[in-house]
Amino acid sequence: MTGIMKKITIILLVMVLILVCPCCAQEISDAELISLGDVARYNFIVFDNDVVAWLEYDLDQNRLLQSSIHRYNISTGMQELVVADPSGKFSLDFSGDRYVWSDQRGIFLYDE
């Protein structure tokens, strides 16, 4: 194959890929924003049925790190604060109205 033939073949191949590939892509719906912060402060996001729960970190009035547990109910569109104690929380899971987390010293269970 000559150099010109190779170039034409490559151009045709690129044109076919440009035309075919967009047809294979799937569109996704817009994501729903649940919570927004101006700094990285969310961690350990968990999901159960229609509820999303997460740990949210912030600084208290003494500039010490504190964490709280929040949840968002997809069905109602409501966001709520679940646990607001100042202890550090480093992992989270929940099922229904029961939340469990660790502060690296122990494991805690909160049952609403």
Side-chain angles (χ1 to χ4, degrees):
M1 214 185 257
T2 66
I4 294 174
M5 293 285 289
K6 286 182 183 179
K7 288 180 183 178
I8 291 173
T9 305
I10 291 173
I11 290 171
L12 289 174
L13 182 60
V14 168
M15 289 176 62
V16 168
L17 289 174
I18 288 172
L19 293 173
V20 172
C21 287
C23 298
C24 298
Q26 293 181 354
E27 290 186 25
I28 59 169
S29 61
D30 291 334
E32 181 177 348
L33 181 63
I34 293 174
S35 185
L36 179 66
D38 55 355
V39 294
R41 59 192 243 182
Y42 305 107
N43 204 353
F44 290 100
I45 301 166
V46 290
F47 184 75
D48 183 37
N49 293 325
D50 281 353
V51 179
V52 179
W54 65 90
L55 293 179
E56 189 167 310
Y57 298 97
D58 207 351
L59 298 176
D60 66 9
Q61 63 272 16
N62 298 321
R63 307 214 23 96
L64 297 173
L65 187 64
Q66 64 181 8
S67 61
S68 53
I69 299 173
H70 296 257
R71 73 174 169 209
Y72 177 79
N73 188 311
I74 295 169
S75 298
T76 64
M78 298 283 299
Q79 180 181 329
E80 300 174 89
L81 176 64
V82 177
V83 176
D85 68 4
S87 71
K89 295 167 191 63
F90 300 100
S91 60
L92 171 69
D93 203 355
F94 81 105
S95 178
D97 291 333
R98 295 184 179 132
Y99 295 79
V100 63
W101 68 90
S102 168
D103 70 354
Q104 296 184 338
R105 297 173 296 152
I107 299 172
F108 298 86
L109 171 68
Y110 174 70
D111 188 350
E112 291 185 302

